[in-house]
Amino acid sequence: MTTDFTQTRALFDLPQGMIYLDGNSLGPLPSAAAARVAATVTQEWGQLLITAWNKAGWMDKPMAVGNRIARLIGAEPDSVAMGDTLSIKVYQALASALEMNPGRKVILSDSGNFPSDLYMAQGLCRTLGAGYELRVVEPEAVLEAIDESIAVTMITEVDYRTGRKHDMAAITARAHEKGALTIWDLAHSAGAFPVELAKCGADFACGCTYKYLNSGPGGPAFIYVAPRHQDRARPALSGWQGHDAPFAFDLDYRPARGAERMRVGTPPILQLAALEASLDIWDRVDMVALRAASLALTDRFIAGVEATCPTLTLATPRDPASRGSQVSFRHPEGYAIMQALIARGVIGDFRAPDILRFGFTPLFIGAEEVDRAVAILAEVMAKSLWDTPAYRTRAKVT
Ligand SMILES: *Cc1c(COP(=O)(O)O)cnc(C)c1O
């Protein structure tokens, strides 16, 4: 198991000189990924063609790869299925959970959730009609808001803007005490720190793989269904790949056994190949050591920026136990400041209205990069290098 992260940087292709603090949004390219995808294209698709579904194990990939993700998120074997996008997986988990808790119609979420999760819940409520409701409270109020009216909590463990981390064990316990089910969105957790789904008793979880898990743009999402629910959870998106016998071509849907029923359609084999190249790295990562290294980096960045940039306000919890693997600062000119940083090779991103966001991944970021990023940010702030019209023009993706 890898506990020393000084060697792992060499496993990624990163442009010379760039300090990449955005692996929480799009993970960098694993060096082995291009060859792995090329081999899948030329040797499997090119030579095996349709027979690759059997010969290259394409059909089994969504569950086989899910089992490799399972270790990172503390999930039981065969409880994680790959496919589709995170938004779709949120919808699937919500639809199943609501059906499993009849008599209750409220989905509870918080205002720190990523909007797509809220939009999916709104769309599902509209489809279900008759009294279904999404209730959104402040992140600090989630625990209190779980009462006997809640059918399911839909909580993203780490806030995409501030990096604030919810207490999964406490919220799950409270939800169960009140008769509610839980859905955990692990978009900013999987690959960021050890997650303990089984230990916490989580019911459903989902997440994406193109952030910390480096599967590349559009990489497949994952969904977790607790073993005790796997044969009760009925898929609302009942596609043929989640059928018990897809090649029987029955006219009626009959869900597959286990979490495999959450598959929908044909899996994205090329993206899964890229993800497998990344998981060759992740399979060896000691998650406890990763967390320790991540907290050392985020502590160092917070201390460095606070010592040199008095006009930036920390938006991330100071308590290490209450944050993920990112650090955010607020500034009214946050967008322009981030553009000035990007122009100088420090890549973070901006989230409206005023958040400068920096992700830290020990696999390819070390203390030296943190110190250089702090020095560049300090110079940008001290000399107001951001204060130019070019840096205020907003691009489509921020
Ligand atoms: C990144 C992210 C998404 C993105 O969903 P996609 O369907 O993959 O585009 C959704 N939810 C959360 C919490 C995220 O952080």
Side-chain angles (χ1 to χ4, degrees), residues 85-87 113-114 116-117 156 185 187-188 208 210-211:
T85 72
L86 176 49
S87 304
N113 206 344
F114 188 76
S116 196
D117 297 36
T156 295
D185 187 326
H188 297 277
C208 47
Y210 51 79
K211 291 172 181 163

Side-chain angles (χ1 to χ4, degrees), residues 326-340:
Q326 70 175 68
V327 174
S328 302
F329 284 93
R330 292 184 196 279
H331 190 286
E333 293 286 352
Y335 184 80
I337 295 167
M338 186 52 75
Q339 299 319 299

